[in-house]
Amino acid sequence: VEAVEKCSETYNYNVQLCLSQESFEREKQYIKKLIQQNVQGIVYMSTVNEEKNCYDMLKDAGKPFVVLDSYLSEYNVPALVFSNGVWGMYEATKHLIENGHTQIAYISGLRFHMFEHYRYQGYVNALLDSGLAVNPNLVKFVGFGMLDGVKCFRELMESKNKFTAVICENDVLAMGVYKVCAQMGLGIPEDLSIIGYNNTILSECAQPAMTSVDQHVDDMIQTAVDLLMKQIHNEPITDKIIRIAPSLVKRDSVKKIN
């Protein structure tokens, strides 16, 4: 939010924030309200956990908008900026493999989200490129909260499937894994290696500090705002789909094993 405001201020625009709280109806009402208020443009990042969206409302209103890191591929939107999740998760998985891990669990949100699907594809690609099979018993799709991480990790532990590492689709899910490890007396990374995603403050505050993928959110937001301003000022957009390359921030939650 602060990054959006900072970028917009460079263009002398004010920001109005709308939080849908993962409700499609709330999101739809906000979009309708913004259109009625005749805002000059919208940076749209949907968090709704349903295969629904408000793109048609925006397009029908002729309102300039940029989709940020949330997209259903069949829609032709004016501009899209997103993190290259395939590459980010590939690098995370590859890092574990290079440290000797071959049984790697994966905990994620709902399968149909573009960014989630791309990240999962990166996980699969890294395993296959290393000659490792994808074990469906080690893959969990649930939600994005800490309690989802707790639930999934408990299920993995109770399943008796062997694994030495876990990759989580975001840092919040990973905190759920950290919590269960503490409750069960499992050491990180002595007994289990963990990698998160988003490189939030949680990854720095975790004990031990957690390796996580940085999406470079500030770069994404600056790019999105720049594209929005081009639409508002009727300037040509040469590249309407921009992928931002993430990077792996290595900390203390991964152990090298034989």
Side-chain angles (χ1 to χ4, degrees):
V1 176
E2 291 178 0
V4 173
E5 189 170 44
K6 182 178 180 181
C7 293
S8 299
E9 284 178 350
T10 62
Y11 289 98
N12 294 319
Y13 279 84
N14 295 320
V15 173
Q16 181 174 338
L17 176 65
C18 299
L19 300 176
S20 67
Q21 299 178 354
E22 299 189 357
S23 165
F24 175 68
E25 288 304 317
R26 184 188 295 266
E27 189 169 288
K28 188 165 61 174
Q29 289 302 315
Y30 275 135
I31 294 294
K32 183 178 179 180
K33 181 179 179 181
L34 291 171
I35 292 172
Q36 291 174 342
Q37 291 176 347
N38 198 30
V39 297
Q40 292 189 271
I42 297 173
V43 176
Y44 179 33
M45 182 176 182
S46 176
T47 59
V48 173
N49 290 334
E50 301 178 40
E51 204 161 353
K52 300 177 182 178
N53 62 77
C54 297
Y55 301 149
D56 287 338
M57 287 178 63
L58 291 166
K59 291 166 72 174
D60 291 344
K63 190 64 61 179
F65 71 100
V66 176
V67 175
L68 179 63
D69 208 35
S70 179
Y71 185 66
L72 297 175
S73 58
E74 65 268 24
Y75 283 81
N76 182 25
V77 299
L80 164 68
V81 180
F82 69 98
S83 175
N84 189 341
V86 176
W87 174 255
M89 196 59 79
Y90 187 97
E91 287 295 291
T93 309
K94 180 181 174 184
H95 178 60
L96 288 170
I97 295 170
E98 290 173 344
N99 279 277
H101 299 273
T102 58
Q103 299 295 326
I104 303 169
Y106 183 88
I107 299 176
S108 185
L110 303 178
R111 189 187 296 266
F112 58 74
H113 275 266
M114 180 198 73
F115 60 89
E116 184 282 322
H117 172 73
Y118 280 2
R119 293 178 191 178
Y120 177 65
Q121 192 60 55
Y123 163 80
V124 170
N125 290 351
L127 291 175
L128 297 180
D129 286 352
S130 299
L132 300 172
V134 179
N135 184 349
N137 295 320
L138 294 181
V139 177
K140 293 287 184 180
F141 291 97
V142 57
F144 298 97
M146 188 179 76
L147 292 180
D148 296 313
V150 169
K151 179 179 181 292
C152 281
F153 186 61
R154 286 197 178 278
E155 289 176 356
L156 286 168
M157 294 299 292
E158 292 168 1
S159 72
K160 305 301 181 182
N161 291 296
K162 294 182 178 180
F163 57 95
T164 60
V166 177
I167 298 179
C168 294
E169 197 261 336
N170 64 32
D171 289 346
V172 178
L173 282 168
M175 289 300 96
V177 177
Y178 264 70
K179 181 176 181 178
V180 176
C181 284
Q183 293 171 344
M184 299 181 67
L186 297 174
I188 303 170
E190 295 80 15
D191 301 312
L192 182 75
S193 292
I194 302 174
I195 293 182
Y197 207 105
N198 292 340
N199 194 36
T200 63
I201 190 67
L202 293 174
S203 60
E204 297 183 52
C205 295
Q207 294 295 325
M210 182 173 63
T211 296
S212 186
V213 178
D214 191 335
Q215 296 193 86
H216 303 297
V217 173
D218 286 355
D219 292 343
M220 281 199 295
I221 291 172
Q222 181 66 65
T223 303
V225 171
D226 289 344
L227 288 172
L228 184 63
M229 293 304 156
K230 285 186 176 182
Q231 289 184 62
I232 291 172
H233 296 110
N234 296 314
E235 297 176 11
I237 298 177
T238 54
D239 295 316
K240 75 172 190 175
I241 299 179
I242 307 294
R243 297 172 178 83
I244 304 295
S247 58
L248 186 66
V249 180
K250 299 175 184 178
R251 296 190 177 94
D252 305 322
S253 62
V254 174
K255 176 185 176 182
K256 188 174 183 64
I257 63 176
N258 295 329

